[in-house]
Amino acid sequence: MPVAAGGAIQVVDATVSRQRVLATPATRRLARQLGVELGRVPPTGPHGRVTTADVQSYQSNGDAGAQAPAPAPAPQHAQLPVPAPITIPHSGDEERIPLRGVRRRIAESMARSKRTAAHFTYVEEIDMTELVAVRERARARAAERGIKLNYLPFIVKACVSGLKKWPQLNASLDETTQEIVQKRYYHVGIAAQGPQGLAVSVVRDADKRSIFDLSKEIERLGEAVRTGTATRDELTGSTFTISSLGKLGGVLATPIINFPEVAIVGVHKIEERPAVRNGQIVARHLMNLSISVDHRIADGWDGAMFLQDVKSLLEDPTTMFMEMV
């Protein structure tokens, strides 16, 4: 598998069939000039790419005796015809607010994600009791440094650890070259509500930060979002996203992937609920985590195993600290 300089990005061939012919613009131009149908040309280039030499050889040898291949089925991700716009007639007491600016960009981004990525969602219950105790013990030390410690930095750390084991979830699909780009850097997006709507601030190099450093950076970025002062660099470039509404996180949600990423985790509220431990009903601090994954790129196994790894780290914070670098 080819690896970019510095080992930051791994590119994996995602061509599973010849539904789409891979060729450079120069090769396509030559095929048009020679009257050659690219779909009939046996490819010899890397990743099943048709080269100019392939086109010239095919044109010279001709297709006598060659059996025309069956028409390739349409790619699964082909866009459906765009339906006609819906008109809402005036009726009674209404207020009409133009869809523009940030709200329109959010709408377009969410619609593109649902239209393109094949979403599936997996949910797991997490026993946060031990982590609640760890966070409570660490709050005083964090306060001495001016840090308001919450649970999100721990969740970020657990997710980064999981992404290192399941790199397919820290990736994007290059649709032009049909390559899966696995990223060896971990820029975690934090989706939160801002004054102009949903915003995703980006904690860069989350794998290289301590819990306290993550907490400071998340708070700094959150304040920038709330005040509308976040820069473009602070709002772009994430490789994986976590969506959290804090105490308002609800019981369960199916978050929409921050396209073109492959996965997003939804964090829900922690609350005391009855649980069975060693045959006894006891009160535990429980929380649900949900993960939405693009099924074009990752399998259900990847999403489920990733969340199981995250679960094991959050339920036993000692192992999380052992894995930190």
Side-chain angles (χ1 to χ4, degrees), residues 21-312:
V21 178
L22 296 181
T24 65
T27 301
R28 294 180 185 279
R29 184 166 56 251
L30 176 63
R32 287 195 300 269
Q33 293 171 349
L34 298 178
V36 172
E37 182 181 341
L38 278 178
R40 293 175 175 268
V41 180
T44 64
H47 311 311
R49 190 181 301 276
V50 176
T51 67
T52 55
D54 295 335
V55 173
Q56 293 167 341
S57 175
Y58 183 88
Q59 196 272 340
S60 299
N61 297 331
D63 61 348
Q67 183 177 359
Q76 293 182 356
H77 61 273
Q79 293 184 0
L80 297 175
V82 178
I86 295 175
T87 299
I88 307 298
H90 289 270
S91 176
D93 187 8
E94 301 173 339
E95 179 183 5
R96 294 196 167 227
I97 303 170
L99 179 62
R100 59 191 178 196
V102 174
R103 186 73 260 167
R104 180 167 183 169
R105 289 197 295 272
I106 292 172
E108 292 171 348
S109 177
M110 294 297 100
R112 182 185 182 190
S113 180
K114 290 295 287 185
R115 187 171 61 244
T116 306
H119 285 62
F120 77 87
T121 301
Y122 176 83
V123 183
E124 184 57 85
E125 182 180 69
I126 314 295
D127 189 337
M128 297 284 283
T129 305
E130 296 300 324
L131 187 54
V132 168
V134 168
R135 181 245 185 179
E136 190 61 34
R137 291 196 298 270
R139 287 178 68 182
R141 181 170 295 184
E144 292 173 359
R145 305 184 185 188
I147 299 171
K148 185 178 179 181
L149 185 63
N150 58 32
Y151 297 104
L152 201 48
F154 298 96
I155 296 171
V156 170
K157 271 296 185 185
C159 285
V160 168
S161 177
L163 292 174
K164 289 183 177 181
K165 295 180 182 179
W166 304 96
Q168 202 79 333
L169 301 183
N170 196 58
S172 294
L173 174 64
D174 187 324
E175 295 179 337
T176 302
T177 62
Q178 288 294 286
E179 293 170 330
I180 299 169
V181 183
Q182 293 182 349
K183 300 163 187 177
R184 303 298 174 83
Y185 46 88
Y186 304 89
H187 302 333
V188 178
I190 307 296
Q193 191 69 18
Q196 295 181 306
L198 182 68
V200 179
S201 56
V202 183
V203 179
R204 300 191 180 278
D205 299 315
D207 58 317
K208 301 175 183 177
R209 297 176 182 267
S210 68
I211 292 292
F212 283 173
D213 189 23
L214 281 172
S215 189
K216 286 192 295 185
E217 183 66 359
I218 292 170
E219 178 60 29
R220 184 189 71 80
L221 290 169
E223 181 63 20
V225 169
R226 286 189 293 271
T227 58
T229 59
T231 65
R232 177 177 177 80
D233 188 58
E234 292 171 333
L235 298 175
T236 57
S238 56
T239 63
F240 176 88
T241 296
I242 296 173
S243 179
S244 174
L245 286 176
K247 294 180 180 179
L248 300 177
V251 175
L252 176 64
T254 55
I256 297 175
I257 296 166
N258 186 21
F259 190 80
E261 296 169 22
V262 171
I264 182 172
V265 159
V267 180
H268 309 292
K269 65 181 177 181
I270 302 172
E271 61 180 357
E272 272 196 309
R273 298 201 297 265
V276 178
R277 298 291 184 269
N278 299 320
Q280 301 294 318
I281 298 178
V282 294
R284 304 289 289 184
H285 292 277
L286 303 179
M287 175 188 75
N288 290 335
L289 282 184
S290 57
I291 182 169
S292 293
V293 179
D294 187 344
H295 220 323
R296 299 178 306 162
I297 313 304
D299 297 325
W301 173 263
D302 299 313
M305 292 305 296
F306 166 84
L307 213 54
Q308 289 299 321
D309 284 335
V310 171
K311 171 184 172 74
S312 67

